[in-house]
């Protein structure tokens, strides 16, 4: 049985890897970067690591349908992104700025990322080995 600390580390590293993949692929479109250069921050490790807090919820939701589970995870991820973004912005340390994106809220969340957060939640659920 995994404990919170190992789940935190696993989620932190997996989140970092997902972010590198996401920003690397996006670099083709935004910067025509054939090197697929990614962008992340050390701040993102604990933010993604907090997905370990989903573990008890994952166990409770395991028998529910995928749309419900993914939707709940997306809402929780948005909440964590908003709170951490606002807090980091307060100290001029927020590594992301969505203020130029069409569907942003206060520059810290993008509503058009809902499908990505839906999938990320389901990936974290799988990582947390809900049985």
């Amino acid at each position: 049985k995994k404990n919170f600390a190992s789940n935190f580390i696993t989620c932190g590293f997996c989140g970092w890897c997902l972010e590198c993949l996401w920003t690397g692929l996006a670099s083709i479109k935004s910067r025509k970067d054939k090197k697929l250069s990614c962008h992340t921050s050390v701040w993102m490790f604990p933010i993604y690591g907090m997905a370990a807090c989903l573990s008890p919820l994952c166990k409770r939701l395991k028998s529910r349908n995928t749309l419900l589970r993914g939707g709940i995870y997306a809402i929780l991820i948005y909440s964590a992104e908003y709170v951490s973004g606002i807090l980091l912005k307060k100290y001029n340390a927020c590594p992301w700025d969505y203020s130029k994106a069409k569907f942003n809220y206060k520059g810290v969340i993008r509503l058009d990322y809902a499908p990505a957060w839906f999938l990320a939640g389901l990936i974290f659920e799988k990582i947390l080995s809900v049985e």
Side-chain angles (χ1 to χ4, degrees), residues 13-58:
F13 280 121
C14 288
W16 251 350
C17 289
L18 287 169
E19 180 160 321
C20 285
L21 179 65
W22 181 263
T23 61
L25 291 174
S27 71
I28 292 174
K29 182 180 176 188
S30 63
R31 299 187 307 263
K32 309 283 189 251
D33 180 2
K34 293 177 184 170
K35 295 177 186 176
L36 301 179
S37 301
C38 66
H39 177 78
T40 191
S41 162
V42 173
W43 285 116
M44 299 313 295
F45 181 83
I47 292 170
Y48 286 120
M50 290 307 293
C53 294
L54 293 174
S55 187
L57 181 62
C58 292

Side-chain angles (χ1 to χ4, degrees), residues 107-129:
V108 294
I109 61 172
R110 287 182 59 165
L111 300 177
D112 57 323
Y113 279 4
W117 292 140
F118 180 95
L119 289 173
L122 294 173
I123 290 168
F124 283 122
E125 175 189 71
K126 195 72 168 168
I127 289 167
L128 294 168
S129 301

Side-chain angles (χ1 to χ4, degrees), residues 1-14:
K1 188 175 182 179
K2 292 182 179 180
N3 63 25
F4 180 79
S6 66
N7 281 340
F8 184 92
I9 291 166
T10 301
C11 288
F13 280 121
C14 288

Side-chain angles (χ1 to χ4, degrees), residues 82 85-86 89 94 96-101 103-111:
Y82 177 78
I86 292 295
K89 263 182 124 175
C94 189
W96 68 91
D97 180 10
Y98 299 143
S99 58
K100 293 180 182 169
F103 299 106
N104 85 84
Y105 182 70
K106 295 191 178 185
V108 294
I109 61 172
R110 287 182 59 165
L111 300 177

Side-chain angles (χ1 to χ4, degrees), residues 50-70:
M50 290 307 293
C53 294
L54 293 174
S55 187
L57 181 62
C58 292
K59 289 176 184 161
R60 292 188 68 137
L61 293 176
K62 70 180 177 182
S63 64
R64 303 296 181 148
N65 85 29
T66 305
L67 285 176
L68 177 67
R69 293 190 336 265

